[in-house]
Amino acid sequence: MIPTREEMEQAFEMRHGKELQKKFSSAVVAVCGLGGLGSHIAIALARAGIGKLILIDFDCVDVTNLHRQQYKAAQVGKCKTEALRENLREIAPYLSTEVHNVKIIRDNARELLKDADIICEAFDDAESKAMLTDVVLCSMQGKYLVAASGMAGMGSANDIRTRKITEHFYLCGDEISEIKEQHSLVASRVMVCAAHQAHAVLRILAGK
């Protein structure tokens, strides 16, 4: 039996306290890219009781994604936006989700992200990362950006950290490793970086 909304709200408040949970439940967070980073970020934020997630990705679930992303084998071929929304509903049935099955580019980024309080960058390629960083920090003043750089390879998970770059910009990762150089992405290390990003979101909302 699925718990009622009231039961889930009470459970959140028991763990986080009423005031902090109110901040979480009223927040709108955008996750840009729903792969190894983004799918884990979304799951972590849903479990924390974030009120609304804006999920953005243009890709479909592929068998090569299953080793590190929050999808199921039966979801291969589905749009990542819809597949992740399905999985989130099983975890947090009262979470509000808004999905956009599109590629974020400079021309549509502001419209897609206008309602978000905090934006998580979870792209694979450096060009898209740079584009989103530029748009958010230069054209969307007041919004927070939590980005990632460096989670490839078999290096120590302890090398992954969160740095506050500016008042509204946080960067998570080891800031060194690149996929093309490390030749591997493993779920454990990618999940650590995603957890840093999700936790940075929660700390921002908590005023830490």
Side-chain angles (χ1 to χ4, degrees):
M1 180 183 295
I2 296 175
T4 65
R5 182 187 293 270
E6 291 72 23
E7 288 172 333
M8 293 199 72
E9 287 175 353
Q10 289 173 5
F12 282 133
E13 290 177 2
M14 285 177 61
R15 292 301 180 190
H16 304 148
K18 192 168 185 177
E19 289 305 311
L20 181 55
Q21 186 54 44
K22 185 177 180 181
K23 294 178 181 179
F24 290 171
S25 61
S26 62
V28 179
V29 180
V31 183
C32 305
L34 305 178
L37 289 172
S39 61
H40 288 287
I41 292 169
I43 294 288
L45 294 178
R47 290 194 184 281
I50 292 297
K52 180 177 179 179
L53 293 178
I54 300 173
L55 307 173
I56 309 171
D57 201 303
F58 65 95
D59 206 0
C60 294
V61 180
D62 186 82
V63 66
T64 60
N65 301 149
L66 299 180
H67 78 287
R68 72 185 188 285
Q69 300 181 17
Q70 283 282 3
Y71 301 106
K72 306 169 186 177
Q75 292 177 318
V76 169
K78 284 190 175 184
C79 294
K80 286 185 176 179
T81 50
E82 292 301 330
L84 187 57
R85 177 186 254 176
E86 287 178 4
N87 296 343
L88 290 169
R89 281 175 177 163
E90 295 182 9
I91 294 167
Y94 307 108
L95 168 71
S96 176
T97 55
E98 176 184 323
V99 300
H100 297 280
N101 191 42
V102 296
K103 181 178 176 64
I104 300 182
I105 58 175
R106 189 173 294 274
D107 291 342
N108 65 12
R110 280 177 294 217
E111 179 64 23
L112 291 170
L113 302 172
K114 64 183 180 180
D115 294 330
D117 302 309
I118 303 173
I119 297 157
C120 292
E121 176 274 304
F123 295 137
D124 293 329
D125 64 287
E127 184 176 342
S128 294
K129 288 174 178 288
M131 177 277 297
L132 189 65
T133 301
D134 183 56
V135 169
V136 174
L137 298 184
C138 296
S139 312
M140 305 183 78
Q141 284 86 358
K143 294 190 183 295
Y144 288 88
L145 177 66
V146 179
S149 177
M151 73 291 305
M154 296 298 295
S156 172
N158 294 331
D159 293 335
I160 293 174
R161 60 176 182 161
T162 299
R163 281 204 305 133
K164 185 176 182 179
I165 307 299
T166 69
E167 185 64 28
H168 288 84
F169 181 32
Y170 292 76
L171 187 62
C172 305
D174 63 24
E175 300 183 41
I176 298 173
S177 61
E178 295 185 16
I179 300 171
K180 63 183 179 180
E181 295 176 356
Q182 299 295 327
H183 305 297
S184 69
L185 281 170
V186 294
S188 50
R189 205 162 193 266
V190 173
M191 287 172 68
V192 170
C193 188
H196 270 259
Q197 288 185 265
H199 195 58
V201 170
L202 299 181
R203 282 176 55 80
I204 290 168
L205 293 173
K208 300 293 186 182

